[in-house]
Amino acid sequence: EVQVVESGGGKVQAGGSLRLSCAASGFTFDDYAIGWFRQAPGKEREGVSCISSSDGSTYYADSVKGRFTISSDDAKNTVYLQMNSLKPEDTAVYYCALLLDVRVVAGLVPDYEYDYWGQGTQVTVSS
């Protein structure tokens, strides 16, 4: 059974940092992509970042470039999202998603292409 589990959310003041983790398990594909999304109350889900396992390429939404960094520990099938210089507008539920059997990732992968989703973790940034 494929599982995707996020952790690391919490409350932080503006300017602070958090690191989210996404642990994926139960699959055997060598090539996959993991993406981070977020959804604030009353807003549509937004793609934040994604990483390709085949070549390590990374992509970011303009709203987080220079502040967020996505990385992976392939041995653990875990992807991290380091979030620095957090702003109140970063407040949202953050979701991790897994796309299996993909070799080429050329940008932020849209949400409808992902195969599995985590349950989400709340990030709250106070001003």
Side-chain angles (χ1 to χ4, degrees):
E1 178 186 5
V2 177
Q3 289 189 323
V4 179
V5 181
E6 307 99 335
S7 61
K11 296 181 180 180
V12 65
Q13 289 190 330
S17 298
L18 283 173
R19 188 179 80 157
L20 305 183
S21 299
C22 173
S25 62
F27 63 96
T28 57
F29 291 99
D30 291 331
D31 297 322
Y32 58 90
I34 286 184
W36 284 99
F37 293 80
R38 65 187 182 186
Q39 188 165 22
K43 294 189 177 181
E44 293 188 355
R45 186 162 56 193
E46 171 191 20
V48 174
S49 181
C50 70
I51 186 167
S52 166
S53 72
S54 62
D55 62 3
S57 57
T58 59
Y59 302 92
Y60 299 92
D62 288 343
S63 58
V64 306
K65 277 181 184 176
R67 300 188 298 122
F68 290 11
T69 302
I70 192 170
S71 62
S72 66
D73 182 336
D74 293 339
K76 296 181 179 180
N77 275 0
T78 298
V79 167
Y80 304 98
L81 185 68
Q82 178 66 43
M83 306 186 295
N84 297 330
S85 301
L86 283 162
K87 305 175 181 180
E89 51 263 45
D90 294 317
T91 295
V93 177
Y94 283 71
Y95 297 91
C96 173
L98 171 65
L99 171 59
L100 295 174
D101 198 20
V102 57
R103 291 191 176 184
V104 178
V105 176
L108 284 176
V109 179
D111 56 1
Y112 56 81
E113 294 202 16
Y114 285 88
D115 300 304
Y116 298 93
W117 290 80
Q119 79 288 352
T121 186
Q122 177 71 47
V123 171
T124 303
V125 184
S126 60
S127 57

